[in-house]
Amino acid sequence: MKKRFQNRIAESRYALPFMLVLTTLIWMAGGLYYNQLLWAPFACTIVAAYLMVELNNINALIRIYSRMVSCSFLALTSMATFLFDSLQGSIAQLCFVAFYICLFHSYQDKRGAGWVFYAFFCLGMASTVFVQIVFFVPFIWLLMARYLMSFSPRTFWASIVGLIAPYWFVVVWYLVTNRMEDFVAHFTAIAQFTPLFDYSGLDEHRVITFLFVALLALMGSVHCLRRSHLDKIRTRMVFSIFIHMNVLTIIFIILQPQHFDPLLKLMIVNTSILIAHYIALTRTRTTNISFYFLVAATLFLTIYNLWIPLLIY
C-alpha cells in the first residue's frame, strides 16, 4: 500500500528527536530559560515522554515501528503552554504514565499483586499532589476486572496498600515540619465541590484547547473501535482502558472544571496514545488530509496559547 506523508512521518526514526528539539524550543519561548520554576515541570515532561516510549514498546500499542505515541504526547503537552508552570499537573501526569506501565504487567494475572502494588503506588504518588485522582480508583478496579482480568482479593488489597504507601513517607514530613493541619486539609479537599458546570474560572485558551484534545480523543477512539480486530486481543483490552479512562476524565472536567489543569494533563496521556494509533495505522487520502489539519491546528494552538495574551472571562 502506498505510503503517504503521514505514514512517512509516523514511521520516521527522526520524528522523536525532532519533537524533543521542538518541545525544548517551545518551552524556551514559554520562559524556560529565565524562569527556574519551569525546570521541574519540563523535566517531568521529558521523563514522561520517555516512559511513553516504554509504554508503547512493552505493550506493542502500535503494531509497526513508530514513535508517534511519544511524539503526540510531546506535541499536545507543549501545545497547552498555560500548563507549563503547573508542577502539580506535571507530577500527576508523570505518575499516571508510570501507573499504566505497571498496571498492564498484571494482564490476566490475578496473583500479580506486586505489579498492582507498584501501579497503585504510582497513583498514590500522584494523589499526594492531586488528591482527587482517587475518584478514578473504583473505576480502575472495574476496568481491571473487565479488561485486564487481574482483579481478585489479592490484587484488591495490593492496590489499597500501594495507594496509601506514599503517605507513610509524606506523613513523616508533615510531622517533622509540624504541619499536620495541612496534611488533614489535603484529604478534606476531596469533599470540596464547586457547583456543577461552573466554567467561570476557565479562560478561552483552556476551553479551545480542551475542545481540540476532545476532538482528537474522539477521532482516535472511533478509529480504535473500528479497526480493533486488526490488533491482538491484549492490545484491544489496553486500548479499551485508554478510551474508558478518557471518557471518565472528560466527564470529570465537565462536572468539576475547578480541577481542569491536572485533569487536562491526564487527558493528554490517553488522547496522545489514541491519536497516535490513528496517525500511524491509517493510510487513506482522507486521513492524510486530516493529518495536515491536525498538524496545522496543533501549531496554531501552540502559537495562540504561547503569544496571545489570556482573555479571562
Side-chain angles (χ1 to χ4, degrees):
M1 187 177 291
K2 178 181 178 181
K3 279 191 178 182
R4 302 183 184 274
F5 179 71
Q6 74 173 93
N7 306 117
R8 292 196 295 271
I9 295 298
E11 298 172 23
S12 173
R13 295 182 180 274
Y14 301 105
L16 183 55
F18 174 80
M19 277 307 305
L20 286 171
V21 172
L22 182 60
T23 296
T24 303
L25 292 176
I26 293 172
W27 277 75
M28 294 285 284
L32 181 65
Y33 180 74
Y34 55 83
N35 187 351
Q36 294 184 351
L37 295 178
L38 296 184
W39 280 100
F42 176 71
C44 288
T45 298
I46 298 301
V47 175
Y50 167 74
L51 292 182
M52 291 291 277
V53 174
E54 293 300 313
L55 180 64
N56 177 38
N57 292 343
I58 294 170
N59 298 282
L61 300 178
I62 309 296
R63 57 182 178 269
I64 61 173
Y65 175 86
S66 177
R67 290 288 179 250
M68 198 47 54
V69 169
S70 47
C71 289
S72 299
F73 172 79
L74 287 172
L76 296 182
T77 302
S78 299
M79 178 186 70
T81 59
F82 47 81
L83 297 180
F84 280 3
D85 61 350
S86 176
L87 181 59
Q88 173 200 35
S90 298
I91 294 174
Q93 186 182 59
L94 174 59
C95 293
F96 199 55
V97 180
F99 161 76
Y100 275 144
I101 292 176
C102 296
L103 183 68
F104 295 151
H105 274 287
S106 69
Y107 179 69
Q108 288 188 336
D109 185 4
K110 293 187 177 183
R111 297 181 62 83
W115 283 113
V116 172
F117 169 83
Y118 296 137
F120 279 83
F121 182 87
C122 294
L123 206 64
M125 288 291 292
S127 75
T128 62
V129 295
F130 178 52
V131 70
Q132 286 78 13
I133 203 171
V134 299
F135 287 127
F136 289 109
V137 171
F139 299 101
I140 293 172
W141 287 333
L142 293 175
L143 295 175
M144 287 174 60
R146 174 66 179 85
Y147 296 108
L148 294 183
M149 291 160 282
S150 62
F151 190 73
S152 65
R154 186 186 184 95
T155 55
F156 169 77
W157 288 111
S159 67
I160 294 295
V161 175
L163 194 63
I164 64 177
Y167 290 97
W168 301 345
F169 306 97
V170 172
V171 71
V172 173
W173 183 78
Y174 277 106
L175 284 171
V176 170
T177 57
N178 195 26
R179 295 174 53 198
M180 284 304 295
E181 67 279 359
D182 293 336
F183 182 71
V184 174
H186 175 74
F187 289 102
T188 56
I190 297 178
Q192 294 175 2
F193 298 98
T194 58
L196 298 180
F197 315 111
D198 180 12
Y199 307 111
S200 59
L202 300 183
D203 55 75
E204 63 183 26
H205 292 255
R206 284 171 166 78
V207 173
I208 294 173
T209 301
F210 167 74
L211 292 176
F212 179 65
V213 176
L215 173 63
L216 297 183
L218 178 62
M219 291 175 61
S221 298
V222 170
H223 165 73
C224 289
L225 293 173
R226 290 183 64 249
R227 309 296 289 179
S228 62
H229 63 280
L230 298 175
D231 289 314
K232 295 179 180 179
I233 294 177
R234 185 180 189 277
T235 306
R236 296 181 212 170
M237 300 297 102
V238 168
F239 270 94
S240 294
I241 292 176
F242 292 139
I243 293 172
H244 281 83
M245 289 297 291
N246 230 11
V247 171
L248 290 171
T249 306
I250 291 172
I251 293 173
F252 199 164
I253 290 175
I254 292 173
L255 294 178
Q256 287 292 292
Q258 62 170 321
H259 304 303
F260 178 89
D261 286 4
L263 287 173
L264 182 61
K265 287 272 195 178
L266 304 186
M267 184 178 171
I268 284 174
V269 172
N270 297 304
T271 301
S272 60
I273 298 170
L274 296 173
I275 199 62
H277 193 275
Y278 169 85
I279 293 172
L281 299 177
T282 55
R283 295 175 178 270
T284 68
R285 182 172 179 270
T286 301
T287 60
N288 193 55
I289 294 173
S290 72
F291 175 72
Y292 283 112
F293 164 76
L294 295 179
V295 171
T298 303
L299 288 173
F300 170 77
L301 279 175
T302 302
I303 295 171
Y304 173 70
N305 290 330
L306 189 59
W307 280 300
I308 297 179
L310 294 178
L311 301 176
I312 306 298
Y313 288 120

